[in-house]
Amino acid sequence: MRQIAPAVYKLRKTIKNLLQPDAHYLLAVSGGADSLALAHACAALAAQGWGSYSVCHVEHGLRGEEALRDMQAVQRACEAWGLPCFTEHVQAAAYAAQNRLSTEDAARRLRYAALRRIAAQQGAVAIVTAHHEGDQAETLLLRLLRGAGLQGLAGMRAQQGDIIRPLLTLPKSLLEEYCSAEGIEVCFDSTNADTAYTRNRVRLELLPYLERSFNPAVVPTLARTAALLAQDAECLEQMADDAYRQLVRRQDDAVSFPVTQLTALHSAVRLRVLRRAYFELGGEELSFERSQAIDSLLFRRSGGKIIQLPQGINVVYKNKQLIFVKIIQSIRRMKKCMTILRQFC
């Protein structure tokens, strides 16, 4: 009887802890050691009756023949392991230029859109990615350097909406050991060595410097820090959810809050309530400065003053109410918004 390598046993056990035995999942597989280890382990679990799996490989239109080679390698591996494989082609560079995004951000947005499209087609309950401990450490540093609150510094979550990341607590070395033990040929993405990309500079320059100069175990330390911050963030989010439900008043394209009760909340909870109101009306991104501007309006109580936010959402203080209203660009809907404001006031 073949002896199971420790890395093989640990990886499969870790995946089982987060995936259900009677569900179908879509695996995001690029062709690197991380995602191929994930796919191989899930194929082995499926053979044991633990879940069923499909694979999606997204080709970003950035690496020419090298990318097509990786796609074919993933297809061959999936065929050998009995996993249905779907490929999606996107044009990250063109999308980045059209939307004034970095290539990294454009590729990520297109990738997740493609994954969600295939997941819906296949009836998958969630998308499973191969993000590991090193990815978590990089994410925390990137967000710290750009400026982030507790929610951002908590990094990626093991379960977040329709995304499951079962490998977040595992080092990359274990995934490479798994591939070696199982004889898996992995692909090497040449762009991973390109320090023009910010995440690559963090991985190839900043983290090695921190390991040499400050803490040889900086990667697991940062990953643990993110996990602890996630617990604190979850607690505050729950408090904010409770406050939101108690205070909010809804009316079509608007929500409002009584100012007296809102100002009585701790600032950490209050700001989360304000941000949730914005996102509930269809907001997509709210900067620190705009969050602070809303909070200042709340305390100044400047009647009639309007703060304009992205996605056509305005905030106004009137008659002891803080009101968020979605302004729709049509005469009929504008009249409706004015009617809503009068109802609140």
Side-chain angles (χ1 to χ4, degrees):
M1 181 178 178
R2 180 190 172 197
Q3 185 176 2
I4 298 178
V8 173
Y9 174 79
K10 185 168 184 177
L11 178 56
R12 294 177 185 175
K13 182 179 179 182
T14 300
I15 293 171
K16 285 178 70 174
N17 287 338
L18 279 180
L19 303 187
Q20 299 300 315
D22 55 352
H24 183 75
Y25 297 94
L26 181 71
L27 310 178
V29 179
S30 65
D34 320 331
S35 60
L36 284 176
L38 172 69
H40 185 276
C42 287
L45 292 176
Q48 298 170 10
W50 194 280
S52 61
Y53 309 90
S54 299
V55 163
C56 180
H57 173 86
V58 181
E59 192 275 306
H60 299 94
L62 296 171
R63 296 186 292 127
E65 289 299 319
E66 182 184 78
L68 296 178
R69 178 207 67 194
D70 291 354
M71 180 188 73
Q72 292 165 359
V74 170
Q75 291 172 327
R76 287 195 300 270
C78 289
E79 184 178 2
W81 302 336
L83 295 172
C85 181
F86 303 89
T87 56
E88 289 281 305
H89 298 271
V90 299
Q91 296 299 323
Y95 186 81
Q98 292 167 3
N99 295 277
R100 297 183 179 180
L101 300 170
S102 69
T103 305
E104 292 170 284
D105 191 18
R108 180 185 60 81
R109 294 188 186 197
L110 291 172
R111 180 168 61 254
Y112 277 101
L115 288 168
R116 289 189 167 102
R117 197 160 51 244
I118 298 299
Q121 291 173 8
Q122 296 303 306
V125 299
I127 297 163
V128 184
T129 73
H131 292 104
H132 53 75
E133 185 182 71
D135 296 318
Q136 183 73 299
E138 293 166 17
T139 297
L140 189 153
L141 284 175
L142 282 166
R143 293 180 180 178
L144 178 64
L145 293 170
R146 291 169 180 163
L150 183 60
Q151 193 77 8
L153 295 178
M156 296 178 285
R157 311 299 173 83
Q159 291 183 278
Q160 193 167 18
D162 59 349
I163 306 296
I164 299 178
R165 304 179 179 95
L167 314 185
L168 273 185
T169 60
L170 301 179
K172 183 177 180 67
S173 58
L174 183 138
L175 304 175
E176 292 172 336
E177 185 182 340
Y178 181 101
C179 289
S180 178
E182 293 296 312
I184 300 170
E185 288 190 32
V186 303
C187 304
F188 295 94
D189 182 344
S190 61
T191 62
N192 286 337
D194 186 352
T195 53
Y197 296 103
T198 307
R199 182 175 284 272
N200 288 353
R201 289 202 302 277
V202 168
R203 185 178 67 255
L204 300 174
E205 297 176 1
L206 180 55
L207 277 171
Y209 171 73
L210 294 174
E211 287 173 336
R212 290 192 309 269
S213 304
F214 295 95
N215 180 358
V218 70
V219 169
T221 299
L222 289 171
R224 283 196 303 272
T225 298
L228 291 171
L229 293 175
Q231 291 179 5
D232 293 345
E234 186 178 344
C235 177
L236 283 170
E237 287 298 327
Q238 183 60 60
M239 294 171 67
D241 285 346
D242 293 342
Y244 189 92
R245 284 194 296 269
Q246 291 172 14
L247 300 180
V248 70
R249 181 184 171 196
R250 297 179 179 85
Q251 177 69 42
D252 292 335
D253 294 317
V255 297
S256 75
F257 305 90
V259 167
T260 302
Q261 289 95 318
L262 203 54
T263 54
L265 297 173
H266 189 285
S267 60
V269 176
R270 184 175 63 251
L271 285 168
R272 283 171 167 78
V273 169
L274 298 177
R275 291 176 65 83
R276 175 168 171 180
Y278 168 72
F279 291 122
E280 187 163 297
L281 290 176
E284 295 178 4
E285 188 172 342
L286 192 63
S287 67
F288 171 80
E289 291 77 15
R290 282 187 163 127
S291 296
Q292 292 296 315
I294 300 170
D295 205 39
S296 296
L297 174 64
L298 180 63
F299 281 91
R300 288 199 312 270
R301 304 187 183 188
S302 303
K305 180 176 175 59
I306 294 175
I307 296 176
Q308 295 182 333
L309 303 176
Q311 282 75 54
I313 297 168
N314 289 353
V315 186
V316 61
Y317 170 83
K318 195 168 185 181
N319 293 348
K320 299 181 180 180
Q321 299 281 314
L322 189 71
I323 306 164
F324 290 73
V325 60
K326 177 84 169 180
I327 304 299
I328 309 299
Q329 296 304 313
S330 73
I331 299 298
R332 185 171 62 85
R333 296 302 296 274
M334 283 288 285
K335 288 180 179 178
K336 183 178 180 182
C337 287
M338 295 306 297
T339 301
I340 291 169
L341 282 173
R342 285 194 291 272
Q343 289 174 346
F344 274 116
C345 302

